[in-house]
Amino acid sequence: MQTTPATKTATATHNEDMTMTTANFNLKRDPFGRLTLTNAGGDVYHNVSPVRAFPIQAPNDGIALVGADGQEVAWIERLQDVPPMLRSLVEEELGSREFMPTIERIVDVTGYATPCTWTVMTDRGETLLALRGDEDIRRIGDESLLVSDSHGIHFLIRNMLSLDKHSKKILDRFL
């Protein structure tokens, strides 16, 4: 019998060989599809949301589970160390909340002065993004960039050094 997302339940435990810093807790979806966490003491937290501590630099390390009031109710040190069922629930929830396309190639720009429009190929397909100013391109570490368009959508360039020659040439004009 296949388990539906509404009835998935997972339990995480703190073992000596696991790096999770939480005590026992159970995580499941309620009839409305929201996450409900029950800790080892029997406390129940409804409408729990996972929040990444470092969404770009270390997306699978340091995930807080926060209640509807914004208070942290559990902590997952490393997502790969939790049981597969729990990991699946957390990844599903994160996927539904996060939207950050990754730019794979810069196809064209309308000009090299801002404001301008970029045509980019992302991991979700080709799109246009309107760049208001040079400050809309921010460095994240040595190789990554975060590009914000005029609609508030953030695009990630995970490794600007691995872009094709044409994309690097365009990008160099803006950095």
Side-chain angles (χ1 to χ4, degrees), residues 86-101:
L86 176 66
R87 184 171 50 243
S88 173
L89 283 170
V90 172
E91 287 172 342
E92 285 173 14
E93 191 67 17
L94 286 167
S96 71
R97 296 181 68 229
E98 298 175 341
F99 179 75
M100 187 180 309

PDB file of all heavy atoms in Angstrom, residues 86-101:
ATOM      1  N   LEU A  86      11.728  11.231   7.109  1.00  0.00           N
ATOM      2  CA  LEU A  86      11.786  12.590   7.635  1.00  0.00           C
ATOM      3  C   LEU A  86      12.433  13.522   6.614  1.00  0.00           C
ATOM      4  O   LEU A  86      11.951  14.622   6.368  1.00  0.00           O
ATOM      5  CB  LEU A  86      12.559  12.614   8.954  1.00  0.00           C
ATOM      6  CG  LEU A  86      12.784  13.998   9.558  1.00  0.00           C
ATOM      7  CD1 LEU A  86      11.458  14.611   9.984  1.00  0.00           C
ATOM      8  CD2 LEU A  86      13.725  13.914  10.740  1.00  0.00           C
ATOM      9  N   ARG A  87      13.525  13.079   6.030  1.00  0.00           N
ATOM     10  CA  ARG A  87      14.231  13.873   5.020  1.00  0.00           C
ATOM     11  C   ARG A  87      13.285  14.222   3.867  1.00  0.00           C
ATOM     12  O   ARG A  87      13.247  15.359   3.393  1.00  0.00           O
ATOM     13  CB  ARG A  87      15.470  13.128   4.527  1.00  0.00           C
ATOM     14  CG  ARG A  87      16.288  13.928   3.550  1.00  0.00           C
ATOM     15  CD  ARG A  87      17.641  13.293   3.227  1.00  0.00           C
ATOM     16  NE  ARG A  87      17.542  11.900   2.849  1.00  0.00           N
ATOM     17  CZ  ARG A  87      18.078  10.886   3.527  1.00  0.00           C
ATOM     18  NH1 ARG A  87      18.756  11.115   4.632  1.00  0.00           N
ATOM     19  NH2 ARG A  87      17.947   9.648   3.116  1.00  0.00           N
ATOM     20  N   SER A  88      12.492  13.247   3.445  1.00  0.00           N
ATOM     21  CA  SER A  88      11.544  13.463   2.357  1.00  0.00           C
ATOM     22  C   SER A  88      10.522  14.538   2.711  1.00  0.00           C
ATOM     23  O   SER A  88      10.234  15.427   1.900  1.00  0.00           O
ATOM     24  CB  SER A  88      10.845  12.145   2.030  1.00  0.00           C
ATOM     25  OG  SER A  88       9.821  12.345   1.097  1.00  0.00           O
ATOM     26  N   LEU A  89       9.973  14.480   3.914  1.00  0.00           N
ATOM     27  CA  LEU A  89       8.999  15.485   4.347  1.00  0.00           C
ATOM     28  C   LEU A  89       9.615  16.883   4.385  1.00  0.00           C
ATOM     29  O   LEU A  89       9.010  17.851   3.927  1.00  0.00           O
ATOM     30  CB  LEU A  89       8.444  15.127   5.727  1.00  0.00           C
ATOM     31  CG  LEU A  89       7.407  14.015   5.779  1.00  0.00           C
ATOM     32  CD1 LEU A  89       7.145  13.605   7.224  1.00  0.00           C
ATOM     33  CD2 LEU A  89       6.123  14.439   5.110  1.00  0.00           C
ATOM     34  N   VAL A  90      10.824  16.975   4.924  1.00  0.00           N
ATOM     35  CA  VAL A  90      11.492  18.276   5.026  1.00  0.00           C
ATOM     36  C   VAL A  90      11.818  18.811   3.632  1.00  0.00           C
ATOM     37  O   VAL A  90      11.580  19.988   3.332  1.00  0.00           O
ATOM     38  CB  VAL A  90      12.761  18.173   5.905  1.00  0.00           C
ATOM     39  CG1 VAL A  90      13.570  19.462   5.855  1.00  0.00           C
ATOM     40  CG2 VAL A  90      12.385  17.831   7.347  1.00  0.00           C
ATOM     41  N   GLU A  91      12.348  17.962   2.748  1.00  0.00           N
ATOM     42  CA  GLU A  91      12.684  18.400   1.390  1.00  0.00           C
ATOM     43  C   GLU A  91      11.446  18.827   0.609  1.00  0.00           C
ATOM     44  O   GLU A  91      11.484  19.807  -0.132  1.00  0.00           O
ATOM     45  CB  GLU A  91      13.430  17.298   0.643  1.00  0.00           C
ATOM     46  CG  GLU A  91      14.850  17.119   1.129  1.00  0.00           C
ATOM     47  CD  GLU A  91      15.555  15.905   0.533  1.00  0.00           C
ATOM     48  OE1 GLU A  91      14.865  15.000   0.003  1.00  0.00           O
ATOM     49  OE2 GLU A  91      16.796  15.868   0.598  1.00  0.00           O
ATOM     50  N   GLU A  92      10.341  18.089   0.766  1.00  0.00           N
ATOM     51  CA  GLU A  92       9.082  18.468   0.105  1.00  0.00           C
ATOM     52  C   GLU A  92       8.641  19.855   0.551  1.00  0.00           C
ATOM     53  O   GLU A  92       8.246  20.682  -0.264  1.00  0.00           O
ATOM     54  CB  GLU A  92       7.974  17.468   0.436  1.00  0.00           C
ATOM     55  CG  GLU A  92       8.062  16.163  -0.278  1.00  0.00           C
ATOM     56  CD  GLU A  92       7.014  15.161   0.227  1.00  0.00           C
ATOM     57  OE1 GLU A  92       6.067  15.574   0.932  1.00  0.00           O
ATOM     58  OE2 GLU A  92       7.158  13.965  -0.091  1.00  0.00           O
ATOM     59  N   GLU A  93       8.692  20.087   1.845  1.00  0.00           N
ATOM     60  CA  GLU A  93       8.248  21.368   2.379  1.00  0.00           C
ATOM     61  C   GLU A  93       9.163  22.500   1.941  1.00  0.00           C
ATOM     62  O   GLU A  93       8.697  23.576   1.572  1.00  0.00           O
ATOM     63  CB  GLU A  93       8.171  21.291   3.907  1.00  0.00           C
ATOM     64  CG  GLU A  93       7.480  22.452   4.549  1.00  0.00           C
ATOM     65  CD  GLU A  93       5.985  22.531   4.245  1.00  0.00           C
ATOM     66  OE1 GLU A  93       5.398  21.517   3.805  1.00  0.00           O
ATOM     67  OE2 GLU A  93       5.410  23.612   4.458  1.00  0.00           O
ATOM     68  N   LEU A  94      10.474  22.264   1.981  1.00  0.00           N
ATOM     69  CA  LEU A  94      11.411  23.286   1.525  1.00  0.00           C
ATOM     70  C   LEU A  94      11.197  23.591   0.044  1.00  0.00           C
ATOM     71  O   LEU A  94      11.215  24.751  -0.372  1.00  0.00           O
ATOM     72  CB  LEU A  94      12.860  22.835   1.768  1.00  0.00           C
ATOM     73  CG  LEU A  94      13.334  22.871   3.217  1.00  0.00           C
ATOM     74  CD1 LEU A  94      14.650  22.120   3.361  1.00  0.00           C
ATOM     75  CD2 LEU A  94      13.457  24.292   3.720  1.00  0.00           C
ATOM     76  N   GLY A  95      10.984  22.548  -0.751  1.00  0.00           N
ATOM     77  CA  GLY A  95      10.772  22.726  -2.185  1.00  0.00           C
ATOM     78  C   GLY A  95       9.537  23.550  -2.496  1.00  0.00           C
ATOM     79  O   GLY A  95       9.520  24.322  -3.461  1.00  0.00           O
ATOM     80  N   SER A  96       8.510  23.406  -1.679  1.00  0.00           N
ATOM     81  CA  SER A  96       7.287  24.167  -1.925  1.00  0.00           C
ATOM     82  C   SER A  96       7.418  25.623  -1.484  1.00  0.00           C
ATOM     83  O   SER A  96       6.688  26.484  -1.964  1.00  0.00           O
ATOM     84  CB  SER A  96       6.098  23.510  -1.208  1.00  0.00           C
ATOM     85  OG  SER A  96       6.193  23.676   0.178  1.00  0.00           O
ATOM     86  N   ARG A  97       8.351  25.914  -0.607  1.00  0.00           N
ATOM     87  CA  ARG A  97       8.518  27.272  -0.081  1.00  0.00           C
ATOM     88  C   ARG A  97       9.593  28.069  -0.791  1.00  0.00           C
ATOM     89  O   ARG A  97       9.541  29.291  -0.818  1.00  0.00           O
ATOM     90  CB  ARG A  97       8.893  27.218   1.411  1.00  0.00           C
ATOM     91  CG  ARG A  97       7.825  26.624   2.289  1.00  0.00           C
ATOM     92  CD  ARG A  97       8.243  26.610   3.746  1.00  0.00           C
ATOM     93  NE  ARG A  97       8.314  27.969   4.252  1.00  0.00           N
ATOM     94  CZ  ARG A  97       9.339  28.446   4.922  1.00  0.00           C
ATOM     95  NH1 ARG A  97      10.355  27.702   5.204  1.00  0.00           N
ATOM     96  NH2 ARG A  97       9.317  29.674   5.359  1.00  0.00           N
ATOM     97  N   GLU A  98      10.585  27.390  -1.321  1.00  0.00           N
ATOM     98  CA  GLU A  98      11.734  28.087  -1.890  1.00  0.00           C
ATOM     99  C   GLU A  98      11.635  28.136  -3.409  1.00  0.00           C
ATOM    100  O   GLU A  98      11.288  27.157  -4.051  1.00  0.00           O
ATOM    101  CB  GLU A  98      13.026  27.378  -1.490  1.00  0.00           C
ATOM    102  CG  GLU A  98      13.256  27.368  -0.004  1.00  0.00           C
ATOM    103  CD  GLU A  98      14.481  26.566   0.390  1.00  0.00           C
ATOM    104  OE1 GLU A  98      14.950  25.742  -0.405  1.00  0.00           O
ATOM    105  OE2 GLU A  98      14.945  26.772   1.515  1.00  0.00           O
ATOM    106  N   PHE A  99      11.963  29.264  -3.964  1.00  0.00           N
ATOM    107  CA  PHE A  99      12.017  29.405  -5.409  1.00  0.00           C
ATOM    108  C   PHE A  99      13.219  30.263  -5.734  1.00  0.00           C
ATOM    109  O   PHE A  99      13.218  31.475  -5.505  1.00  0.00           O
ATOM    110  CB  PHE A  99      10.735  30.054  -5.945  1.00  0.00           C
ATOM    111  CG  PHE A  99      10.748  30.234  -7.436  1.00  0.00           C
ATOM    112  CD1 PHE A  99      10.567  29.154  -8.263  1.00  0.00           C
ATOM    113  CD2 PHE A  99      10.943  31.476  -8.001  1.00  0.00           C
ATOM    114  CE1 PHE A  99      10.572  29.293  -9.639  1.00  0.00           C
ATOM    115  CE2 PHE A  99      10.951  31.643  -9.373  1.00  0.00           C
ATOM    116  CZ  PHE A  99      10.756  30.545 -10.191  1.00  0.00           C
ATOM    117  N   MET A 100      14.278  29.644  -6.193  1.00  0.00           N
ATOM    118  CA  MET A 100      15.484  30.361  -6.575  1.00  0.00           C
ATOM    119  C   MET A 100      16.088  29.669  -7.796  1.00  0.00           C
ATOM    120  O   MET A 100      16.909  28.770  -7.659  1.00  0.00           O
ATOM    121  CB  MET A 100      16.501  30.415  -5.433  1.00  0.00           C
ATOM    122  CG  MET A 100      17.685  31.315  -5.767  1.00  0.00           C
ATOM    123  SD  MET A 100      18.936  31.445  -4.473  1.00  0.00           S
ATOM    124  CE  MET A 100      18.008  31.845  -3.045  1.00  0.00           C
ATOM    125  N   PRO A 101      15.661  30.082  -8.992  1.00  0.00           N
ATOM    126  CA  PRO A 101      16.220  29.464 -10.198  1.00  0.00           C
ATOM    127  C   PRO A 101      17.731  29.704 -10.282  1.00  0.00           C
ATOM    128  O   PRO A 101      18.244  30.734  -9.838  1.00  0.00           O
ATOM    129  CB  PRO A 101      15.500  30.173 -11.341  1.00  0.00           C
ATOM    130  CG  PRO A 101      14.353  30.896 -10.722  1.00  0.00           C
ATOM    131  CD  PRO A 101      14.696  31.112  -9.291  1.00  0.00           C
TER     132      PRO A 101
END
